[in-house]
Amino acid sequence: MKIAITLLLYTLAFVWGCTRLRGEGSKLHRLWFGCILVWCAYENICGITETPHFNMATLYLLSTRRQVHYQVVRRLTSELCKKRNRYLPCKLRL
């Protein structure tokens, strides 16, 4: 029921927004407006159903090299262990 209400509200927002977008270049603006609303609906429905989903950070993580991220994680983990004076019982497998 929550998903149906969410989709209905996003549809109403799209229809209302399209009536407000007028003039030159309004088709392109409607397209961008629709894309933004579809993305928001996707994120919202994934949040309701608690399913894993792609977000903007996923694109960044996929575009950069994995090695850089592993080095950062290792450095932060080692600094955290030094501050707490503790030893990690298992190696960090990356």
Side-chain angles (χ1 to χ4, degrees), residues 7 11 19-21 27 30 36 46 48 53 56 61 63 73 82 87 91 93-94:
L7 290 175
T11 304
T19 60
R20 306 291 282 171
L21 293 171
K27 288 183 182 180
R30 288 177 185 164
I36 291 169
C46 287
I48 291 171
H53 58 280
M56 295 299 178
L61 293 174
S63 66
V73 169
K82 287 178 186 176
Y87 175 74
K91 283 189 175 180
R93 294 182 185 177
L94 300 173

Side-chain angles (χ1 to χ4, degrees), residues 42-94:
Y42 166 72
E43 292 276 337
N44 200 341
I45 290 171
C46 287
I48 291 171
T49 59
E50 297 179 3
T51 56
H53 58 280
F54 290 103
N55 57 19
M56 295 299 178
T58 306
L59 299 175
Y60 171 74
L61 293 174
L62 292 175
S63 66
T64 58
R65 292 179 15 192
R66 294 175 75 184
Q67 187 66 25
V68 173
H69 296 289
Y70 292 150
Q71 290 172 356
V72 170
V73 169
R74 284 184 187 139
R75 187 179 73 228
L76 290 175
T77 305
S78 66
E79 288 176 7
L80 182 65
C81 291
K82 287 178 186 176
K83 286 182 181 177
R84 292 185 178 179
N85 291 327
R86 293 183 183 173
Y87 175 74
L88 285 178
C90 61
K91 283 189 175 180
L92 188 62
R93 294 182 185 177
L94 300 173

Side-chain angles (χ1 to χ4, degrees), residues 1-12:
M1 189 67 177
K2 286 182 182 180
I3 295 173
I5 292 171
T6 302
L7 290 175
L8 178 68
L9 290 175
Y10 275 108
T11 304
L12 290 174

Side-chain angles (χ1 to χ4, degrees), residues 21-32:
L21 293 171
R22 298 180 190 155
E24 188 176 329
S26 63
K27 288 183 182 180
L28 183 61
H29 289 137
R30 288 177 185 164
L31 176 68
W32 280 112

